[in-house]
Amino acid sequence: KIDQQNAQGDQSNLKTISQRFVNDKVALIYALATPAAQIVANETKDIPIVGSAITDYVAAKLVKANDKPGGNVTGTTNYMPARRQIDLALKLVPQAKTVGALYNLGEVNSQMQVKEMKAYAAEKGLKVIEATVTSVNDIQQAVQSLVGKVDFIYCPTDNTIASAMANVAKVALPAKLPVIVGDETMVKTGGLAGVSVDYYKLGFQAGLMAADILDGKAKPADMPIQQQENVAVVINREAARAIGLNVPEEIMATAK
């Protein structure tokens, strides 16, 4: 039996749902994305937790180490090196000199990804301008602040930005501004392009881990965080047309 609950991005809902799961003494909790995993992990140190779509379990203080978590949390990661997104951006916008970083400053995974991106951008001679938000209500203004100042926008796998990519597109598309994002869903909902894991397969991979725990074959403490080896370039062809960008044939040939 699966009790599936959606907190709709609300922290208080997350806490209420987590507390109910713990009170119900469920056999295992599957937590999708960092905020959900962090809150449920604060509610129980006994019930096994399998996470998914979490960029950095260590930075989020969910595990002691990726190879040996050491507690009641394990799972799969959607971590994608920021250099992959920047390299893709430079193939699409080879003349780029400045990149805008759009993210929620309150998300630890986003902070980590942007830090990594800034270091790689410096290696590539790119200037970085940051535009941070605290909620979806800030997104359009943040994107507008980058218009005319950057050659493309980089968005990490940020839950706040991902939930409102349409708000990003409302400003970026008319401004002919490419938006390079961290996952497939963000491309489909308004971004231009990204290098992404397959989220269905990532969930299935987490499900296999959960099955082993429920069958008594393994414990979260001893199960390394798992990654996905096969990733894909994803292109939003409508967004490319809207900003007048010709995607190189070698990219289109293999893109989803």
Side-chain angles (χ1 to χ4, degrees):
K1 180 182 176 182
I2 297 174
D3 182 355
Q4 182 174 320
Q5 300 293 327
N6 188 336
Q8 304 294 339
D10 187 292
Q11 296 285 320
S12 61
N13 287 347
L14 273 175
K15 189 171 180 65
T16 300
I17 292 166
S18 298
Q19 288 174 336
R20 183 164 67 77
F21 284 166
V22 173
N23 291 337
D24 289 347
K25 295 181 172 60
V26 297
L28 181 142
I29 299 172
Y30 174 62
L32 187 61
T34 306
Q38 287 177 316
I39 287 180
V40 75
N42 283 334
E43 294 297 326
T44 178
K45 302 301 178 187
D46 302 315
I47 297 173
I49 299 168
V50 175
S52 191
I54 295 166
T55 305
D56 191 329
Y57 284 76
V58 175
K61 298 182 179 178
L62 292 167
V63 302
K64 294 176 182 176
N66 286 327
D67 58 342
K68 196 170 179 62
N72 64 321
V73 181
T74 187
T76 58
T77 175
N78 62 342
Y79 171 70
M80 184 64 58
R83 60 179 172 77
R84 298 287 296 270
Q85 315 297 351
I86 296 301
D87 285 344
L88 175 61
L90 291 176
K91 288 178 181 177
L92 296 171
V93 194
Q95 75 280 9
K97 301 295 181 186
T98 307
V99 51
L102 177 67
Y103 66 106
N104 184 343
L105 191 60
E107 290 195 29
V108 62
N109 284 342
S110 298
Q111 292 176 29
M112 182 274 291
Q113 291 174 81
V114 171
K115 181 179 179 181
E116 181 182 317
M117 184 276 288
K118 289 168 70 175
Y120 189 68
E123 289 181 25
K124 292 293 182 178
L126 289 170
K127 177 184 176 183
V128 178
I129 298 176
E130 295 185 40
T132 59
V133 305
T134 57
S135 74
V136 295
N137 298 325
D138 305 330
I139 290 176
Q140 285 183 249
Q141 184 177 349
V143 178
Q144 190 62 56
S145 74
L146 297 172
V147 174
K149 298 177 183 176
V150 303
D151 299 302
F152 68 92
I153 293 175
Y154 162 82
C155 298
T157 50
D158 182 291
N159 293 291
T160 303
I161 304 299
S163 70
M165 280 302 297
N167 293 5
V168 178
K170 281 180 184 177
V171 180
L173 292 182
K176 310 294 185 186
L177 195 54
V179 180
I180 309 300
V181 296
D183 73 59
E184 181 175 5
T185 304
M186 295 170 77
V187 175
K188 292 179 177 178
T189 54
L192 169 67
V195 184
S196 176
V197 299
D198 182 314
Y199 279 87
Y200 178 85
K201 291 179 180 177
L202 198 70
F204 193 91
Q205 195 173 352
L208 293 174
M209 298 176 75
D212 282 346
I213 293 169
L214 292 172
D215 287 343
K217 296 177 181 177
K219 295 180 179 180
D222 305 318
M223 300 176 76
I225 303 302
Q226 294 186 14
Q227 289 183 291
Q228 196 171 98
E229 297 302 324
N230 297 322
V231 297
V233 172
V234 189
I235 302 290
N236 184 329
R237 290 158 176 79
E238 289 184 11
R241 283 193 293 270
I243 67 173
L245 180 72
N246 291 318
V247 179
E249 278 302 319
E250 75 251 25
I251 295 177
M252 288 301 296
T254 57
K256 291 178 67 176

